[in-house]
Amino acid sequence: MTAIETERLLLRLPQLADAAALPGLHCDPVAMEFIGGVHPDCGEGEWPVRLWLDVDRLVSVIAPANVGSQRLAERLGCTRGETVELADTGPAVVWEHPR
């Protein structure tokens, strides 16, 4: 894949060095609202995380009150799993994506 770069944006395949920034990103609710793949209006072909990562298992962790994200997970063919307790935001449901 070729990188796409503008003055404010760089789109490229992930690199190992990118992993250090992920915990801070995942704890930023504003960032996760836009890049967490949870916007209820996006469709399967528009969900960048699913296309960007090459992993054996992919899950979404969704707050029980976030009905829009739950509907998206269902449209993407995800399977609802266990409810977990997150230290900073409370309960959340783990949705596993199909392979």
Side-chain angles (χ1 to χ4, degrees):
M1 176 180 176
T2 303
I4 300 170
E5 188 170 0
T6 69
E7 183 178 317
R8 296 177 37 198
L9 177 67
L10 172 62
L11 294 175
R12 59 169 171 71
L13 290 175
Q15 299 173 358
L16 187 56
D18 299 332
L22 290 178
L25 185 66
H26 287 196
C27 292
D28 182 334
V30 175
M32 291 310 295
E33 180 180 348
F34 291 99
I35 66 167
V38 296
H39 192 282
D41 293 333
C42 79
E44 183 172 356
E46 299 164 316
W47 196 46
V49 174
R50 189 174 192 178
L51 301 175
W52 184 53
L53 294 175
D54 181 21
V55 294
D56 292 331
R57 183 174 186 232
L58 181 63
V59 299
S60 294
V61 181
I62 303 173
N66 191 339
V67 177
S69 292
Q70 292 176 38
R71 287 185 184 143
L72 173 61
E74 290 170 345
R75 284 199 316 262
L76 293 174
C78 299
T79 304
R80 184 185 180 113
E82 66 180 317
T83 298
V84 296
E85 189 72 24
L86 301 179
D88 57 344
T89 58
V93 179
V94 178
W95 291 77
E96 186 159 356
H97 293 259
R99 296 180 191 260

